[in-house]
Amino acid sequence: MFSYYFKLGLRSLRRNPALTALMVLTLAIGVAASVSTLTILHMMSGDPIPQKSERLFVPIFDVAPVDNYNPGEKLRENQVTYQDAMNLLKSGQGERRVALYGIASPIEPPRKDLPAFSASGVAPTREFFAMFDVPFLRGQTWSVQDDERGADVVVLSRKIAEKLYGEANPVGQRINIMGFPFTVVGVTDKWAPKPRYYKLVGGEQFGDGEDFFIPLGSAIRHETTHNGGMNCSERSEPGFQGILRSNCTWIQFWFETASSADRAGLQTYIDSYAAEQRKLGRMKRAAPNKLFNVKEWMEEREVVDKDTKLSAWLAFGFLLLCLVNTIGLLLAKFSVRAAEVGIRRALGASRREIFRQFLIESAVVGLAGGVLGLVLAFGALALIAMQSSEVASIAHMDLTMLAFTFAMSVLAAILAGLLPTWRACQVTPAIQLKSQ
């Protein structure tokens, strides 16, 4: 019976074509507006590493002077100092520990036909690749020895490797970065988590991923300036070495634990570490030390800003308005079929069958609105993507949103069809036939 009613619903699309087209268009516009904004929200707020997000932690300490401190005020730090990063790397806590900071540098290609170009990357410690599940296309990460001595080795992204060497294997080749020759030890496969949860401070939070990776020790040895945020609550000594000895926070640090249950032990450790630092004259505020997992860190850094959330709510408000209009159009469409309902009731059709038939016809309208809404949503996302390359990286629909579009459109049409369908079922056969 469902297939029969579905066929009737398809045929009903040709009945009152102008009214049907207006319903489908109204529903499609509402669906497209809500889906396009929801797609942006979905891509921005998704868990970028669900298999580990409960086991990756960012520690934050308050290293500012005690002057003008009000206990309980919100922590202003979002990174750690260089000396804290080095201490935490040696702590042995967790399964893995990674310190990193963003860098930007010109790359001088070995090919004469290719001019030097600017690139952005990350200077992490060796376990970065294992901690964040970075896939390798060729080669591998640098060795423990390279990490300890800050060797001039580099891991290129697939995009940069293909730009420099085409399809050839670049492992073992040498290129100039920051004016120094670096040996290529690996090439990452496509890897561009959204957002860039591992480096949410400074730079773009979304995008196509990093161009290259060099050891943290190498970047420090070459006194490479950071490409990102830095917070200095007190004056530091001049020069790069002064920054290393200062209480300026500019290094991003991550712990990986074996399980989420190890969080309490890690919290105990960082509290103990902060207490030891206070004995050395640092962290005098004695403010609570923070530990964020991936989702908490994204919320703390407000990856999804208030404007995006407001846009989503406004889009759903617009969809509600479209639904109200659709209800009115369905009432008009079904009201002219009172004679048909009266005859069917007189022939023995129950109100339940009439209700089911008209509701399925409403769902067919929703399905048509979903198809058109999907086309309009793709157009809206294409327009949104034109704002910038960062926005373009998240302005695309995945399979989840594709399925959600159809489900939402059909559900919206069914909800809109409840009242008109109920009104249609109230037809009294005797009165209706008598009026004919």
Side-chain angles (χ1 to χ4, degrees), residues 106-119 160 163-164 176:
I107 292 180
E108 300 175 39
R111 293 163 46 185
K112 302 298 182 185
D113 61 326
L114 198 62
F117 59 89
S118 298
I160 296 300
K163 181 176 183 177
L164 295 175
N176 284 338

Side-chain angles (χ1 to χ4, degrees), residues 33-354:
S34 55
V35 165
S36 56
T37 54
L38 196 63
T39 295
I40 300 297
L41 187 66
H42 168 69
M43 296 302 292
M44 293 176 71
S45 60
D47 190 342
I49 185 167
Q51 71 275 20
K52 284 187 176 180
S53 60
E54 297 293 324
R55 298 192 288 116
L56 299 179
F57 298 100
V58 174
I60 298 295
F61 307 97
D62 193 341
V63 296
V66 73
D67 300 339
N68 302 320
Y69 173 60
N70 296 314
E73 69 181 35
K74 182 176 174 58
L75 190 62
R76 298 178 182 177
E77 307 291 352
N78 44 45
Q79 298 178 99
V80 300
T81 66
Y82 176 75
Q83 53 182 321
D84 287 328
M86 294 301 105
N87 292 337
L88 295 178
L89 282 174
K90 299 172 185 172
S91 67
Q93 294 297 309
E95 294 290 299
R96 295 187 176 94
R97 298 158 297 284
V98 165
L100 63 95
Y101 72 99
I103 57 176
S105 168
I107 292 180
E108 300 175 39
R111 293 163 46 185
K112 302 298 182 185
D113 61 326
L114 198 62
F117 59 89
S118 298
S120 60
V122 171
T125 46
R126 181 177 181 274
E127 291 188 315
F128 173 89
F129 303 94
M131 176 180 286
F132 298 116
D133 293 342
V134 183
F136 271 83
L137 179 66
R138 301 180 188 279
Q140 57 187 352
T141 182
W142 49 82
S143 65
V144 175
Q145 294 74 22
D146 288 340
D147 209 39
E148 291 175 347
R149 63 189 176 92
D152 288 343
V153 291
V154 61
V155 172
L156 299 176
S157 70
R158 179 173 182 168
K159 182 182 70 174
I160 296 300
E162 291 178 348
K163 181 176 183 177
L164 295 175
Y165 301 98
E167 296 298 324
N169 185 356
V171 174
Q173 301 292 323
R174 294 170 72 87
I175 59 173
N176 284 338
I177 301 176
M178 303 180 298
F180 301 96
F182 279 72
T183 302
V184 180
V185 295
V187 177
T188 62
D189 208 343
K190 293 180 180 178
W191 183 72
K194 296 177 180 55
R196 291 175 172 171
Y197 62 96
Y198 56 92
K199 194 187 69 173
L200 286 179
V201 184
E204 295 181 344
Q205 294 184 336
F206 300 91
D208 295 330
E210 310 296 338
D211 292 329
F212 67 95
F213 309 81
I214 64 173
L216 176 69
S218 176
I220 295 296
R221 185 165 56 80
H222 291 301
E223 300 189 350
T224 308
T225 55
H226 72 289
N227 180 29
M230 175 184 286
N231 184 31
C232 294
S233 53
E234 56 188 5
R235 186 182 298 275
S236 61
E237 299 173 30
F240 191 82
Q241 295 302 317
I243 293 176
L244 297 184
R245 292 189 291 269
S246 74
N247 267 340
C248 294
T249 55
W250 56 288
I251 300 285
Q252 301 181 48
F253 197 91
W254 287 88
F255 282 109
E256 178 184 346
T257 59
S259 73
S260 58
D262 295 335
R263 176 173 185 157
L266 188 57
Q267 180 70 54
T268 301
Y269 167 75
I270 66 169
D271 290 341
S272 173
Y273 171 77
E276 291 178 3
Q277 293 300 306
R278 276 193 289 279
K279 293 177 182 177
L280 298 175
R282 302 179 63 232
M283 303 184 188
K284 295 179 180 178
R285 289 187 171 188
N289 309 297
K290 298 292 185 180
L291 204 59
F292 301 94
N293 63 27
V294 174
K295 295 291 285 183
E296 293 168 347
W297 186 231
M298 288 169 58
E299 292 176 5
E300 176 70 14
R301 295 299 304 154
E302 296 183 347
V303 171
V304 182
D305 57 27
K306 295 178 181 176
D307 290 343
T308 303
K309 293 178 181 176
L310 179 61
S311 299
W313 281 113
L314 290 175
F316 275 104
F318 182 69
L319 175 62
L320 187 61
L321 188 62
C322 292
L323 279 182
V324 172
N325 289 329
T326 304
I327 291 173
L329 293 171
L330 281 173
L331 280 171
K333 182 181 176 71
F334 289 169
S335 63
V336 299
R337 298 171 64 184
E340 174 192 337
V341 174
I343 293 172
R344 286 205 59 201
R345 290 293 312 282
L347 292 175
S350 64
R351 286 184 174 175
R352 183 177 180 180
E353 288 300 318
I354 299 295

Side-chain angles (χ1 to χ4, degrees), residues 2 6 23-24 27-28 30-32 34-35 319 323 326 330 358-374 401-418 421:
F2 175 82
F6 186 78
M23 277 192 299
V24 171
L27 199 58
V31 168
S34 55
V35 165
L319 175 62
L323 279 182
T326 304
L330 281 173
F358 278 51
L359 204 59
I360 292 176
E361 289 187 20
S362 299
V364 171
V365 172
L367 196 60
V371 173
L372 182 58
L374 190 63
M401 290 306 302
L402 194 65
F404 178 78
T405 300
F406 282 106
M408 185 177 69
S409 179
V410 173
L411 179 62
I414 290 175
L415 290 176
L418 285 177
T421 301

